[in-house]
Amino acid sequence: MINQTYALNDVTVLDLTDEKGVYTGKLLADMGANVIRIEPLSGNKTRLIGPFFMDRVNEESSLYNWYHNTSKKSITLDISTKEGIEILKKLCLKADILLESFDDNYLEGIGLSYDDISKQNSQLIWTAISGFGRTGPYANYKTTDLVALSLGGPVASCGYDHLPNNPPMCPDGWAGYYTGSHYAAISTLVALIYRDMTNRGQYIDVSIHEAISSSTEAALPMYIYQNAVPLRQTGRHHSINPTPPAIYRCMDGGMIHVFGTPPQDLNRWSKLLEWIQESQDASELFTPRYEEMVTMRNRDSDLMFTLFSYIGHLINSLDSEYVFNRAQSIGLPWGLVRSPEENVSDKHFWERGFFVDISSENDEKPSYFPGAPYIFNKTPWRIHSSAPILGQDNDEIYKLMLNFTTSDIEKLKANKII
Amino acid sequence: MIFNHNDKGEPLPLSGIRVVDLTWIVAGPQTTRIFADLGAEVIKVEYKESPDYIRGAPPFADNISGVNRSGFFNNLNRNKHSLSLNVMHPDGMDVLKNLIGVSDILIENFSSKVLDKWGLNYEEQIKIKPDIIYLSLSGFGHSGSKQDYTTWGPTAQALSGLTYMSGSPNEYPAGWGYSFLDHTAGYYGAIALLLALHHRNNSGEGQSVDISQVETGMALTGTYLLDYFVNGRKYKREGNPPGNRARFDIVAPHNIYRCYGEDRWISIVVSNDIEWSIFCKVINRIDLLENNLFSTNTLRITNQDVLDQEISESLRNWNADELMHLLQTKGVSAGLVQNARDRVDNDIQLKDRNYFQEIEHPEIGTYKFDGFPAKFNEIGHHMKRSSPIIGQDSKSIISGLLGYKQEDIDRMESEDVF
C-alpha cells in the first residue's frame, strides 16, 4: 500500500502532443503525475499559439501554452535524429505513459513503434491521439478544430435560424480538441486501472472525430429513431420543430438564457406566473390550457411561443443579475450569458477555490490561474508548477532517468540533440 | 458479481467494479455510460413512479411514447442494469444502503442538498462502506454561496462563458445547439472516478469528489481567463466571438462555405502558402494565386472579406463531400459540415472503424449506437445490452445480490417499494 498525497504520484508520462492532445497531459499533471514535455529544440508549436503575455510573440509568452502545460516539466530532444530517437526509446523504458499526437506512422517511420517498445517495457501505456484514428481512409487526413467540429456534428447544430443565409457556426475555444483530450484522458486512465490489476500496458488509438461524434446529445437518436435531422436555432437547442427563442436581453444589456421552463410542477409554475404578472397583464396564462403544459408536459408550439413572449417582456424590463437570482430563488434553472472573464467577479468561484494563486512560482507570470474542474477530498487537484520554460528540466531529467553525466549532456547540447 | 467480458471472453478493464448510479437526465448518465461500456456493473436506481426524465424525452421508437421507448434514453443508458426503488419508503432506503455496502462507487447528479436530506451524505456513506468513492455532479458544486442554484446543460454553458464564445461578431450568441456541457461534465465525472479508483488501488482508500458543471465549462475557457488576468483583456470586445474565422486572425482562409445542395457546407483551413497554392488549383481558381491581394498569409488575412467572397462564389456548385476528399488527399484541412444522417449513413471513416454498432432492445427492437471513441489493443469496451427496461433487475439484485428473503421481497412488492 502506497500512501499518496496526489492521485497520480506514482506515474511518469512522456508528453509529445501538439494542440490536439496537450490538454490530456495537463489533466494528468495537475493530479500529480510526473509529466515531461518532450519538445524539439525550437519548442513545441503550442508555444506559438496566442494570446501572448503583453502581446510578446515568443516561445515563453503564449498564454495558451501556459494554461495547457501547468505542472509539467520540459526537456528538449531532436527525435528526428538517430541519437535523439534512441534517447526517446530509453525514456520509454522508464515511463508509464506515452502521449503523442503525431501524423499517422510518423514515429514508426523514425524508428519507434509500439510493437518494439512494448517488448522491452510491457507496462507502457501508449496513447495515440489523432484527428480520425490511426486506421481507415481518413487516417492521413488533416484535422483542425474547425474541421473536427464540422465533421463530428456540432457545427451542423449551431447557428442562426433568424439569419437564414448565415453559415452554421463553429464555437470558439478549441472544444473539438478538448473533447478528444477528455476521451484520451479517460482511455489512458482506464488502461492504468487495467494495469494496476494485470501489470500489462497497451496501445490506445483515440479518434477526435469519434469523440466529437459521440457528444451531440439527441442528434444521433433523432436520426436513428425518427429519420429526422434537427434544425439549428439561434442560441438554443437544435430541434425538429421550431422552439421559442431562449436568450433574452435585459435592461442593463446583460443576457439571460431561459431553460427548464415551464417547470414541471405547479408550485414553481404559479411563482413564475406571479412574477410575469408583476410586469404585464398575463391573465391569458392563468388558464387550464397553460396549466396542462406543466401537468401533462404538453409542449404545444403556439402555447410555448406565447408563454415565452411574456417571459421575454419580463426579462427585457429588468436587470440581468436580478433576473438570474430571482429565477433561481423560485427554482427556475435560468442562467446569465456570461463572457468568460465575468465569472472572475462571481465570489462563488473564489469561495470554492476555482481560481488559484500561484504568484510565488514566477514573478512575471500571473498571480491567479483558472483552476480545478473537480474537488477531491483526499487527493487534491493542484497546479504543482507553472508551465515550464523550454528545456528547463534537461539536466534533472536526463541525469535522473537515464543516468547521463554533465559531460554527456554538454555533448548532446553541442551536437544539437537536446 | 457480474463480470463483463469482451467478444474474446477476456475481462473488460472495469470488470468487477460495481456502481450505484443515482444519476438522471444527461450529465451523470454520460459518466456511467462510459463506465458501463468499459465493463463496470452499473446499477441504475430509479423509481418506476418517477423514472429518469429522459425516459420521457423524444425521439421514441416508432413515434410511440413509453417509459422504455425513448431512443435518447436507450442511447445514454446502454449496458446498464435497472433497479426500481422507492427510497422514500424505509425499506427502499434499507435496500439502497445495503447496495452501497457491496459497491465501489456511488454517483449522483441531484441538486446539492438532496443526499443530505436522505441522510446519505458522504459521512453517512463511509459508515456503510468505508472505502466508497462518492461522486456528486451538480450545477454549482456542494460549496460556495450559489450551491443551491441549479443548472441544465444550456444554462451551465451560458454561465461558463461557452455560449457567449459561439457566434458571429455583433450578433446574438449562436451558442450550442445541444447540451455540450452535459457531455463534458460527464467526462470529468469519468476522469474523476478513474483517478479515485487508481488511488484506491494504491492506498485502499476511497474518497469524495465534488464537481460543478459550470466549473467544468470554465476550465475550457482557461486561456481566455488568463488573458484577462495577465493582460487585463476581456473576451467581450469588438470582433469577438470570431465566427468561423481563425481566432486572433492567424490564418486565412479559415471559414465555412456554402456548397451545392440543401444546407451543404464545407469547412476549410489553409494554413500556409503551399496549401494556398494547392487550394487554388483544386478549386480551379489559379487566378487567385496571381492576385496581389492574396499572395501572402498576412495579405490574405488583411483582405479576408474579399477573399471569403471570392471563395464563396467559387464553391457554390461544388459537391462538399467530393471537395473535402480532393483537398484532404492533397494535404489541405477540409471537412464537410456533417449532420446526423451524414455521420450514420455516409461517413466512410466511421464505417471503416465500425463505429456504429447495433444492439437489440427487448421492447423496441434493434437500433444503432455510437461506439466508444478509442480502440485498445489489449482490452476493449462492449456493446452487448440495450438500455434496461425499468426495474428489470430489481428482483435479482434484491434477492440475489443483497440476499433478501422471499417473504421480505413479497412484502416490499406489495408495498410498491420496487
Side-chain angles (χ1 to χ4, degrees), chain B residues 92-134:
Chain B
M93 184 49 77
D94 189 59
V95 169
L96 179 59
K97 286 181 174 170
N98 285 327
L99 182 61
I100 294 169
V102 294
S103 295
D104 302 282
I105 290 166
L106 174 68
I107 166 171
E108 51 92 2
N109 65 331
F110 298 124
S111 45
S112 64
K113 295 284 165 54
V114 171
L115 254 63
D116 271 338
K117 282 180 200 148
W118 291 7
L120 254 190
N121 61 22
Y122 177 62
E123 283 66 36
E124 296 303 317
Q125 293 167 32
I126 54 178
K127 288 180 194 159
I128 304 167
K129 185 77 175 12
D131 65 350
I132 194 79
I133 293 167
Y134 165 52

CSV table of all heavy atoms in Angstrom, one decimal, chain B residues 92-134:
chain,number,residue,atom,x,y,z
B,92,GLY,N,-37.1,0.8,1.1
B,92,GLY,CA,-36.3,1.2,-0.1
B,92,GLY,C,-35.0,1.7,0.3
B,92,GLY,O,-34.0,1.4,-0.3
B,93,MET,N,-35.0,2.6,1.3
B,93,MET,CA,-33.7,3.2,1.8
B,93,MET,C,-32.8,2.1,2.3
B,93,MET,O,-31.6,2.1,2.1
B,93,MET,CB,-34.0,4.3,2.8
B,93,MET,CG,-32.8,5.0,3.4
B,93,MET,SD,-31.7,5.7,2.1
B,93,MET,CE,-32.6,7.1,1.5
B,94,ASP,N,-33.4,1.1,3.0
B,94,ASP,CA,-32.6,0.0,3.5
B,94,ASP,C,-31.9,-0.8,2.4
B,94,ASP,O,-30.8,-1.1,2.5
B,94,ASP,CB,-33.6,-0.9,4.3
B,94,ASP,CG,-32.9,-2.0,5.1
B,94,ASP,OD1,-32.0,-1.6,5.9
B,94,ASP,OD2,-33.1,-3.2,4.8
B,95,VAL,N,-32.7,-1.0,1.3
B,95,VAL,CA,-32.1,-1.7,0.1
B,95,VAL,C,-31.0,-0.9,-0.4
B,95,VAL,O,-29.9,-1.4,-0.7
B,95,VAL,CB,-33.2,-1.9,-1.0
B,95,VAL,CG1,-32.5,-2.4,-2.3
B,95,VAL,CG2,-34.2,-3.0,-0.5
B,96,LEU,N,-31.2,0.4,-0.6
B,96,LEU,CA,-30.1,1.3,-1.1
B,96,LEU,C,-28.9,1.3,-0.3
B,96,LEU,O,-27.8,1.1,-0.8
B,96,LEU,CB,-30.7,2.8,-1.2
B,96,LEU,CG,-29.7,3.8,-1.8
B,96,LEU,CD1,-29.2,3.4,-3.2
B,96,LEU,CD2,-30.3,5.2,-1.8
B,97,LYS,N,-29.1,1.3,1.1
B,97,LYS,CA,-27.9,1.3,1.9
B,97,LYS,C,-27.2,-0.1,1.8
B,97,LYS,O,-25.9,-0.1,1.8
B,97,LYS,CB,-28.3,1.5,3.4
B,97,LYS,CG,-28.6,3.0,3.6
B,97,LYS,CD,-29.0,3.3,5.1
B,97,LYS,CE,-29.2,4.8,5.3
B,97,LYS,NZ,-29.8,5.1,6.6
B,98,ASN,N,-27.9,-1.2,1.8
B,98,ASN,CA,-27.3,-2.5,1.6
B,98,ASN,C,-26.5,-2.6,0.3
B,98,ASN,O,-25.5,-3.2,0.2
B,98,ASN,CB,-28.3,-3.6,1.7
B,98,ASN,CG,-28.8,-3.8,3.1
B,98,ASN,OD1,-28.0,-3.6,4.1
B,98,ASN,ND2,-30.0,-4.2,3.3
B,99,LEU,N,-27.1,-1.9,-0.7
B,99,LEU,CA,-26.4,-1.9,-2.1
B,99,LEU,C,-25.1,-1.1,-2.0
B,99,LEU,O,-24.1,-1.6,-2.5
B,99,LEU,CB,-27.4,-1.3,-3.1
B,99,LEU,CG,-26.8,-1.3,-4.6
B,99,LEU,CD1,-26.5,-2.7,-5.0
B,99,LEU,CD2,-27.8,-0.6,-5.5
B,100,ILE,N,-25.2,0.0,-1.3
B,100,ILE,CA,-23.9,0.8,-1.2
B,100,ILE,C,-22.9,-0.1,-0.4
B,100,ILE,O,-21.7,0.0,-0.8
B,100,ILE,CB,-24.2,2.1,-0.4
B,100,ILE,CG1,-25.1,3.0,-1.2
B,100,ILE,CG2,-22.9,2.8,0.0
B,100,ILE,CD1,-25.7,4.2,-0.5
B,101,GLY,N,-23.3,-0.9,0.5
B,101,GLY,CA,-22.4,-1.7,1.3
B,101,GLY,C,-21.6,-2.7,0.4
B,101,GLY,O,-20.6,-3.2,0.9
B,102,VAL,N,-22.1,-3.1,-0.7
B,102,VAL,CA,-21.4,-4.0,-1.6
B,102,VAL,C,-21.0,-3.4,-2.9
B,102,VAL,O,-20.7,-4.1,-3.9
B,102,VAL,CB,-22.3,-5.3,-1.9
B,102,VAL,CG1,-22.6,-6.1,-0.6
B,102,VAL,CG2,-23.6,-4.9,-2.6
B,103,SER,N,-20.9,-2.1,-2.9
B,103,SER,CA,-20.5,-1.4,-4.1
B,103,SER,C,-19.2,-0.6,-4.0
B,103,SER,O,-18.7,-0.4,-2.8
B,103,SER,CB,-21.6,-0.4,-4.6
B,103,SER,OG,-22.7,-1.2,-4.9
B,104,ASP,N,-18.6,-0.2,-5.1
B,104,ASP,CA,-17.3,0.6,-5.1
B,104,ASP,C,-17.6,2.1,-5.2
B,104,ASP,O,-16.8,2.9,-4.7
B,104,ASP,CB,-16.5,0.1,-6.3
B,104,ASP,CG,-16.2,-1.4,-6.2
B,104,ASP,OD1,-15.4,-1.8,-5.4
B,104,ASP,OD2,-16.9,-2.2,-6.9
B,105,ILE,N,-18.6,2.4,-6.0
B,105,ILE,CA,-18.8,3.8,-6.3
B,105,ILE,C,-20.3,4.2,-6.1
B,105,ILE,O,-21.2,3.4,-6.4
B,105,ILE,CB,-18.4,4.0,-7.8
B,105,ILE,CG1,-16.9,3.9,-8.0
B,105,ILE,CG2,-18.9,5.4,-8.3
B,105,ILE,CD1,-16.5,3.8,-9.5
B,106,LEU,N,-20.5,5.4,-5.6
B,106,LEU,CA,-21.9,6.0,-5.6
B,106,LEU,C,-21.8,7.3,-6.4
B,106,LEU,O,-20.9,8.1,-6.1
B,106,LEU,CB,-22.3,6.3,-4.2
B,106,LEU,CG,-23.7,7.0,-4.0
B,106,LEU,CD1,-24.8,6.1,-4.5
B,106,LEU,CD2,-23.9,7.4,-2.6
B,107,ILE,N,-22.7,7.5,-7.4
B,107,ILE,CA,-22.7,8.7,-8.1
B,107,ILE,C,-24.1,9.3,-8.2
B,107,ILE,O,-25.0,8.5,-8.4
B,107,ILE,CB,-22.0,8.5,-9.5
B,107,ILE,CG1,-22.3,9.7,-10.5
B,107,ILE,CG2,-22.5,7.2,-10.2
B,107,ILE,CD1,-21.6,9.7,-11.8
B,108,GLU,N,-24.2,10.6,-8.1
B,108,GLU,CA,-25.5,11.2,-8.2
B,108,GLU,C,-25.3,12.6,-8.9
B,108,GLU,O,-24.2,13.2,-8.7
B,108,GLU,CB,-26.2,11.4,-6.9
B,108,GLU,CG,-25.4,12.0,-5.7
B,108,GLU,CD,-25.5,13.5,-5.6
B,108,GLU,OE1,-26.3,14.1,-6.3
B,108,GLU,OE2,-24.8,14.0,-4.7
B,109,ASN,N,-26.3,13.1,-9.6
B,109,ASN,CA,-26.3,14.5,-10.1
B,109,ASN,C,-27.5,15.2,-9.7
B,109,ASN,O,-28.1,16.0,-10.5
B,109,ASN,CB,-26.0,14.5,-11.6
B,109,ASN,CG,-27.1,13.9,-12.4
B,109,ASN,OD1,-27.8,13.0,-12.0
B,109,ASN,ND2,-27.2,14.4,-13.7
B,110,PHE,N,-28.0,15.1,-8.5
B,110,PHE,CA,-29.1,15.8,-8.0
B,110,PHE,C,-28.6,17.2,-7.6
B,110,PHE,O,-27.4,17.5,-7.6
B,110,PHE,CB,-29.7,15.2,-6.7
B,110,PHE,CG,-30.2,13.8,-6.9
B,110,PHE,CD1,-29.7,12.8,-6.1
B,110,PHE,CD2,-31.2,13.6,-7.8
B,110,PHE,CE1,-30.2,11.5,-6.3
B,110,PHE,CE2,-31.7,12.3,-8.0
B,110,PHE,CZ,-31.2,11.2,-7.2
B,111,SER,N,-29.6,18.1,-7.3
B,111,SER,CA,-29.1,19.4,-6.8
B,111,SER,C,-28.5,19.2,-5.4
B,111,SER,O,-28.7,18.1,-4.8
B,111,SER,CB,-30.3,20.4,-6.7
B,111,SER,OG,-31.4,19.8,-6.2
B,112,SER,N,-27.8,20.2,-4.9
B,112,SER,CA,-26.7,19.9,-3.9
B,112,SER,C,-27.2,19.3,-2.6
B,112,SER,O,-26.4,18.7,-1.9
B,112,SER,CB,-25.9,21.1,-3.7
B,112,SER,OG,-26.7,22.1,-3.1
B,113,LYS,N,-28.5,19.6,-2.2
B,113,LYS,CA,-28.8,19.1,-0.8
B,113,LYS,C,-29.6,17.8,-0.7
B,113,LYS,O,-29.9,17.3,0.3
B,113,LYS,CB,-29.7,20.2,-0.2
B,113,LYS,CG,-29.0,21.6,0.0
B,113,LYS,CD,-28.1,21.5,1.2
B,113,LYS,CE,-27.1,22.6,1.3
B,113,LYS,NZ,-27.7,24.0,1.2
B,114,VAL,N,-29.8,17.2,-1.9
B,114,VAL,CA,-30.7,16.0,-1.9
B,114,VAL,C,-30.2,14.8,-1.0
B,114,VAL,O,-30.9,14.3,-0.2
B,114,VAL,CB,-31.0,15.5,-3.3
B,114,VAL,CG1,-31.7,14.2,-3.3
B,114,VAL,CG2,-31.8,16.6,-4.1
B,115,LEU,N,-28.9,14.5,-1.2
B,115,LEU,CA,-28.4,13.4,-0.4
B,115,LEU,C,-28.3,13.7,1.1
B,115,LEU,O,-28.5,12.8,1.9
B,115,LEU,CB,-27.1,12.9,-0.9
B,115,LEU,CG,-27.2,11.5,-1.7
B,115,LEU,CD1,-28.1,11.7,-2.9
B,115,LEU,CD2,-25.9,10.9,-2.0
B,116,ASP,N,-28.1,14.9,1.4
B,116,ASP,CA,-28.2,15.3,2.9
B,116,ASP,C,-29.6,15.0,3.4
B,116,ASP,O,-29.7,14.5,4.5
B,116,ASP,CB,-27.9,16.9,3.0
B,116,ASP,CG,-26.5,17.2,3.1
B,116,ASP,OD1,-25.7,16.3,3.6
B,116,ASP,OD2,-26.1,18.3,2.9
B,117,LYS,N,-30.6,15.4,2.6
B,117,LYS,CA,-32.0,15.2,3.1
B,117,LYS,C,-32.3,13.7,3.2
B,117,LYS,O,-33.0,13.4,4.1
B,117,LYS,CB,-32.9,15.9,2.1
B,117,LYS,CG,-33.0,17.4,2.2
B,117,LYS,CD,-34.0,17.9,1.2
B,117,LYS,CE,-33.8,19.4,1.0
B,117,LYS,NZ,-34.1,19.9,-0.4
B,118,TRP,N,-31.7,12.9,2.4
B,118,TRP,CA,-31.9,11.5,2.5
B,118,TRP,C,-31.1,10.9,3.7
B,118,TRP,O,-31.2,9.7,3.9
B,118,TRP,CB,-31.4,10.8,1.2
B,118,TRP,CG,-32.3,11.0,0.0
B,118,TRP,CD1,-33.3,11.9,-0.1
B,118,TRP,CD2,-32.2,10.4,-1.3
B,118,TRP,NE1,-33.8,11.9,-1.4
B,118,TRP,CE2,-33.1,11.0,-2.1
B,118,TRP,CE3,-31.3,9.4,-1.8
B,118,TRP,CZ2,-33.3,10.6,-3.4
B,118,TRP,CZ3,-31.4,9.0,-3.1
B,118,TRP,CH2,-32.4,9.6,-3.9
B,119,GLY,N,-30.3,11.7,4.3
B,119,GLY,CA,-29.4,11.1,5.4
B,119,GLY,C,-28.3,10.2,4.8
B,119,GLY,O,-27.9,9.2,5.4
B,120,LEU,N,-27.9,10.6,3.6
B,120,LEU,CA,-26.9,9.7,2.9
B,120,LEU,C,-25.7,10.5,2.3
B,120,LEU,O,-25.2,10.2,1.3
B,120,LEU,CB,-27.6,9.1,1.7
B,120,LEU,CG,-27.9,7.6,1.8
B,120,LEU,CD1,-28.4,7.1,0.5
B,120,LEU,CD2,-26.8,6.8,2.3
B,121,ASN,N,-25.3,11.6,3.1
B,121,ASN,CA,-24.1,12.3,2.6
B,121,ASN,C,-22.9,11.5,2.8
B,121,ASN,O,-22.9,10.3,3.3
B,121,ASN,CB,-24.0,13.7,3.3
B,121,ASN,CG,-23.9,13.5,4.8
B,121,ASN,OD1,-23.4,12.5,5.3
B,121,ASN,ND2,-24.2,14.6,5.6
B,122,TYR,N,-21.7,12.0,2.4
B,122,TYR,CA,-20.5,11.2,2.4
B,122,TYR,C,-20.2,10.6,3.7
B,122,TYR,O,-19.8,9.4,3.9
B,122,TYR,CB,-19.4,12.0,1.8
B,122,TYR,CG,-18.0,11.3,1.8
B,122,TYR,CD1,-17.8,10.2,1.1
B,122,TYR,CD2,-16.9,11.8,2.6
B,122,TYR,CE1,-16.6,9.5,1.0
B,122,TYR,CE2,-15.7,11.1,2.6
B,122,TYR,CZ,-15.6,10.0,1.8
B,122,TYR,OH,-14.3,9.4,1.8
B,123,GLU,N,-20.4,11.4,4.8
B,123,GLU,CA,-20.1,10.9,6.2
B,123,GLU,C,-20.9,9.7,6.5
B,123,GLU,O,-20.5,8.8,7.1
B,123,GLU,CB,-20.3,12.0,7.2
B,123,GLU,CG,-19.3,13.1,7.2
B,123,GLU,CD,-19.2,13.9,6.0
B,123,GLU,OE1,-20.2,14.2,5.4
B,123,GLU,OE2,-18.0,14.3,5.5
B,124,GLU,N,-22.2,9.7,6.0
B,124,GLU,CA,-23.0,8.5,6.3
B,124,GLU,C,-22.6,7.3,5.4
B,124,GLU,O,-22.7,6.2,5.8
B,124,GLU,CB,-24.5,8.9,6.0
B,124,GLU,CG,-25.1,9.9,7.0
B,124,GLU,CD,-25.0,9.5,8.4
B,124,GLU,OE1,-25.2,8.3,8.8
B,124,GLU,OE2,-24.5,10.4,9.3
B,125,GLN,N,-22.3,7.7,4.2
B,125,GLN,CA,-21.9,6.6,3.3
B,125,GLN,C,-20.7,5.8,3.8
B,125,GLN,O,-20.6,4.6,3.7
B,125,GLN,CB,-21.5,7.2,1.9
B,125,GLN,CG,-22.7,7.8,1.1
B,125,GLN,CD,-22.1,8.6,-0.1
B,125,GLN,OE1,-21.1,8.2,-0.7
B,125,GLN,NE2,-22.9,9.6,-0.4
B,126,ILE,N,-19.7,6.5,4.4
B,126,ILE,CA,-18.5,5.8,4.8
B,126,ILE,C,-18.8,4.9,6.0
B,126,ILE,O,-18.0,4.0,6.3
B,126,ILE,CB,-17.3,6.7,5.0
B,126,ILE,CG1,-17.6,7.8,5.9
B,126,ILE,CG2,-16.7,7.2,3.7
B,126,ILE,CD1,-16.4,8.7,6.2
B,127,LYS,N,-19.9,5.2,6.7
B,127,LYS,CA,-20.2,4.3,7.8
B,127,LYS,C,-20.7,3.0,7.3
B,127,LYS,O,-20.6,1.9,7.9
B,127,LYS,CB,-21.4,5.0,8.7
B,127,LYS,CG,-20.9,6.1,9.5
B,127,LYS,CD,-22.1,6.7,10.3
B,127,LYS,CE,-21.7,8.1,10.9
B,127,LYS,NZ,-22.9,8.8,11.2
B,128,ILE,N,-21.3,3.0,6.1
B,128,ILE,CA,-21.8,1.8,5.4
B,128,ILE,C,-20.7,1.1,4.7
B,128,ILE,O,-20.5,-0.1,4.7
B,128,ILE,CB,-22.9,2.2,4.4
B,128,ILE,CG1,-24.1,2.9,5.1
B,128,ILE,CG2,-23.5,0.9,3.8
B,128,ILE,CD1,-25.0,3.6,4.2
B,129,LYS,N,-19.8,1.9,4.0
B,129,LYS,CA,-18.8,1.3,3.1
B,129,LYS,C,-17.6,2.2,3.3
B,129,LYS,O,-17.5,3.3,2.6
B,129,LYS,CB,-19.3,1.2,1.7
B,129,LYS,CG,-18.3,0.5,0.7
B,129,LYS,CD,-18.3,-0.9,0.9
B,129,LYS,CE,-17.4,-1.8,0.0
B,129,LYS,NZ,-16.5,-1.2,-0.9
B,130,PRO,N,-16.6,1.9,4.1
B,130,PRO,CA,-15.5,2.8,4.5
B,130,PRO,C,-14.7,3.3,3.3
B,130,PRO,O,-14.2,4.4,3.3
B,130,PRO,CB,-14.7,2.0,5.4
B,130,PRO,CG,-15.6,1.0,6.0
B,130,PRO,CD,-16.6,0.6,5.0
B,131,ASP,N,-14.6,2.4,2.2
B,131,ASP,CA,-13.7,2.8,1.1
B,131,ASP,C,-14.6,3.2,-0.1
B,131,ASP,O,-14.1,3.2,-1.3
B,131,ASP,CB,-12.7,1.8,0.7
B,131,ASP,CG,-13.4,0.5,0.2
B,131,ASP,OD1,-14.6,0.4,0.3
B,131,ASP,OD2,-12.7,-0.4,-0.3
B,132,ILE,N,-15.8,3.7,0.1
B,132,ILE,CA,-16.7,4.1,-1.0
B,132,ILE,C,-16.1,5.3,-1.7
B,132,ILE,O,-15.4,6.1,-1.1
B,132,ILE,CB,-18.1,4.4,-0.5
B,132,ILE,CG1,-19.1,4.5,-1.7
B,132,ILE,CG2,-18.1,5.7,0.2
B,132,ILE,CD1,-19.6,3.1,-2.2
B,133,ILE,N,-16.3,5.3,-3.0
B,133,ILE,CA,-15.9,6.5,-3.8
B,133,ILE,C,-17.2,7.2,-4.2
B,133,ILE,O,-18.1,6.6,-4.8
B,133,ILE,CB,-15.1,6.1,-5.1
B,133,ILE,CG1,-13.8,5.5,-4.7
B,133,ILE,CG2,-15.0,7.3,-6.0
B,133,ILE,CD1,-13.1,4.8,-5.9
B,134,TYR,N,-17.4,8.4,-3.7
B,134,TYR,CA,-18.6,9.2,-3.9
B,134,TYR,C,-18.4,10.3,-4.8
B,134,TYR,O,-17.6,11.2,-4.6
B,134,TYR,CB,-19.1,9.6,-2.6
B,134,TYR,CG,-20.2,10.7,-2.6
B,134,TYR,CD1,-21.4,10.5,-3.4
B,134,TYR,CD2,-20.1,11.9,-1.9
B,134,TYR,CE1,-22.4,11.4,-3.5
B,134,TYR,CE2,-21.1,12.9,-2.0
B,134,TYR,CZ,-22.2,12.6,-2.8
B,134,TYR,OH,-23.2,13.6,-2.9
